[in-house]
C-alpha cells in the first residue's frame, strides 16, 4: 500500500522516467528509475497489527528512540518518549492507544534537525491529543531539517483505535509521545521501534 500523499511525487518520478526513456542516455534512465524507486519506498504504508493488550501503549512512529524524559504540559506531568524517523523509515504515523481526538493543534516553527532535543519546542509541529479511558496521550508530529510538510488524518471528535493511521510527515522527522504519569516505560534510548506494533509503555 502507498500513502496517498506520495502519489504526486511518485507520478512526477514516473513521468520523468518515461521522458528520459525517449533519450538514449542510460545514465538518465537509471537516475529517473532510482528516483521513482525511492519515492515508492519512502511513501510505503505497510499494514500493521497492534498488540491485543489493553495495558500496552504502542509507538506512533517507525524509527529510533532518541529521548526519554519527564515533561509538564498545562500543569500536568507526563512521560515523554521521542522517536526519530530517518529517510528510510515508514513515515505514516499511528494512534498509540484507543480514544477520542480532543484536540488537533498545528504550531508554526523552525526546521532544526529532528533528532535534536530542542526540535520538540522550536520546530513546526502538530499536536494530536487523544483522550483515552486511562488518561490523555499527546502525539506530536515534529517537522525536521528536510521534512517541511506535516499531514494529519484526524480531526477533533474522531474516535481512533490503537494502531489507526493518524497522519504522516514527509521526508525525515520526529514524533514525541507524551504519556500519563501512571505509565511504565518499556523502551530505552536507541531502541528501534515500529509504528502500530512496538510497545513503548504500559498503563500500570
Amino acid at each position: 500500500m502507498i500513502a496517498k500523499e506520495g502519489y504526486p511525487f511518485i507520478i512526477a518520478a514516473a513521468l520523468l522516467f518515461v521522458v528520459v526513456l525517449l533519450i538514449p542516455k542510460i545514465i538518465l534512465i537509471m537516475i529517473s528509475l532510482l528516483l521513482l524507486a525511492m519515492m515508492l519506498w519512502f511513501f510505503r504504508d505497510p499494514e500493521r497489527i497492534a498488540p491485543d493488550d489493553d495495558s500496552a501503549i504502542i509507538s506512533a512512529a517507525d524509527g529510533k528512540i532518541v529521548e526519554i524524559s519527564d515533561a509538564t504540559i498545562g500543569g500536568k506531568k507526563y512521560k515523554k518518549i521521542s522517536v526519530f524517523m530517518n529517510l528510510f523509515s515508514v513515515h505514516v504515523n499511528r494512534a498509540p492507544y484507543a480514544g477520542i481526538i480532543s484536540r488537533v493543534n498545528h504550531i508554526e516553527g523552525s526546521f532544526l534537525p529532528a533528532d535534536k532535543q530542542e526540535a520538540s519546542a522550536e520546530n513546526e509541529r502538530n499536536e494530536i491529543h487523544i483522550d483515552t479511558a486511562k488518561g490523555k496521550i499527546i502525539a506530536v508530529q515534529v517537522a525536521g531539517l528536510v521534512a517541511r510538510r506535516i499531514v494529519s488524518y484526524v480531526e477533533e471528535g474522531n474516535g481512533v483505535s490503537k494502531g489507526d493511521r493518524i497522519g504522516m510527515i514527509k521526508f525525515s522527522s520526529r514524533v514525541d509521545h507524551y504519556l500519563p504519569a501512571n505509565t511504565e516505560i518499556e523502551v530505552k534510548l536507541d531502541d528501534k521501534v515500529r509504528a502500530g506494533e512496538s510497545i513503548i509503555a504500559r498503563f500500570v
Side-chain angles (χ1 to χ4, degrees):
M1 184 180 292
I2 300 295
K4 60 181 181 296
E5 288 76 18
Y7 285 115
F9 296 91
I10 293 168
I11 291 171
L15 288 175
L16 176 62
F17 175 61
V18 171
V19 169
V20 299
L21 280 177
L22 303 177
I23 305 173
K25 296 290 185 180
I26 294 299
I27 186 63
L28 291 178
I29 293 174
M30 295 302 296
I31 290 173
S32 64
L33 185 59
L34 177 61
L35 179 61
L36 175 58
M38 287 174 61
M39 292 300 103
L40 287 168
W41 178 254
F42 180 83
F43 287 103
R44 69 197 187 280
D45 182 13
E47 293 297 332
R48 299 283 170 83
I49 299 175
D52 185 17
D53 183 342
D54 189 54
S55 70
I57 302 169
I58 59 175
S59 179
D62 278 33
K64 183 175 72 171
I65 304 294
V66 294
E67 183 183 349
I68 298 173
S69 61
D70 295 322
T72 301
I73 301 175
K76 294 185 63 176
K77 293 184 178 180
Y78 290 86
K79 293 181 179 179
K80 178 183 178 185
I81 301 175
S82 299
V83 177
F84 173 70
M85 297 177 282
N86 63 35
L87 287 172
F88 301 102
S89 302
V90 172
H91 276 60
V92 174
N93 306 138
R94 294 174 179 266
Y97 204 82
I100 302 296
I101 306 298
S102 60
R103 186 182 182 195
V104 178
N105 184 35
H106 186 85
I107 302 169
E108 300 293 335
S110 303
F111 296 96
L112 301 174
D115 58 339
K116 304 299 183 183
Q117 186 171 345
E118 55 267 31
S120 292
E122 298 185 26
N123 280 17
E124 181 170 334
R125 55 200 182 275
N126 190 57
E127 300 176 348
I128 300 175
H129 296 239
I130 306 172
D131 289 347
T132 82
K134 299 187 177 184
K136 180 188 288 290
I137 291 175
I138 307 172
V140 184
Q141 300 169 287
V142 182
L145 183 65
V146 179
R148 299 298 174 103
R149 182 78 171 94
I150 299 173
V151 180
S152 176
Y153 297 163
V154 294
E155 299 178 349
E156 293 178 11
N158 289 166
V160 291
S161 297
K162 186 187 298 183
D164 282 356
R165 296 169 177 85
I166 58 173
M168 77 171 299
I169 319 174
K170 298 177 181 179
F171 304 114
S172 180
S173 40
R174 169 190 184 114
V175 171
D176 295 329
H177 308 73
Y178 293 91
L179 310 177
N182 63 327
T183 54
E184 185 175 277
I185 295 175
E186 295 282 309
V187 290
K188 61 184 184 298
L189 289 176
D190 297 327
D191 279 357
K192 299 294 178 58
V193 292
R194 287 162 58 92
E197 289 186 347
S198 298
I199 298 172
I200 59 171
R202 293 182 185 275
F203 285 107
V204 293

